[in-house]
Amino acid sequence: QAQLVESGGGLVQPGGSLRLSCVVSGFTLEKYAIGWFRQVPGKEREGVSCISGSDGSTYYADSVKGRFTVSRDNTRNMGYLEMNSLKVEDTAAYYCATDGICTTWGMFEYDYWGQGTQVTVSS
């Protein structure tokens, strides 16, 4: 059974950058999509980005397109989310997930989730 642990969150000023990491154990990640989600208290969970394990397809929410980059390192069983030009509205708990669908138009049906890492963007 997959276990996922996110890291790399923290406090950053607007315009700054953070790199989130997701390490997966108990699961061979190579063939499976990695998804990144975020959630603010009182708001619905938002799919931020994903990268497919089958054909390398990626998806980015309109709110982060051009600023975030999703990647993976199958030799380390890890996924990454590079976040640049951060905005106050990017503040959220960020979660990685796997065993779901990742297409160029959306991300769905993820089964395994990490515990989350907090990203706070504030001046």
Side-chain angles (χ1 to χ4, degrees), residues 12 17 19 31 47 57 67-68 76 78 80-81 86 88 90 96-97 102 112 114 118-119:
V12 64
S17 299
R19 183 175 184 251
K31 297 181 179 180
S57 299
R67 300 188 296 117
F68 290 12
R76 300 181 66 188
M78 295 184 68
Y80 305 93
L81 184 68
L86 283 162
V88 172
D90 294 318
C96 65
C102 181
Y112 301 103
Q118 179 68 35
V119 172

Side-chain angles (χ1 to χ4, degrees), residues 29-76:
L29 190 59
E30 182 176 358
K31 297 181 179 180
Y32 296 91
I34 305 167
W36 289 93
F37 299 80
R38 66 186 182 187
Q39 189 164 27
V40 177
K43 299 183 68 175
E44 293 184 1
R45 185 180 63 199
E46 176 188 15
V48 176
S49 183
C50 63
I51 181 166
S52 173
S54 58
D55 62 4
S57 299
T58 59
Y59 165 82
Y60 296 95
D62 289 343
S63 58
V64 307
K65 191 171 295 183
R67 300 188 296 117
F68 290 12
T69 302
V70 66
S71 62
R72 63 193 297 154
D73 183 349
N74 289 335
T75 66
R76 300 181 66 188

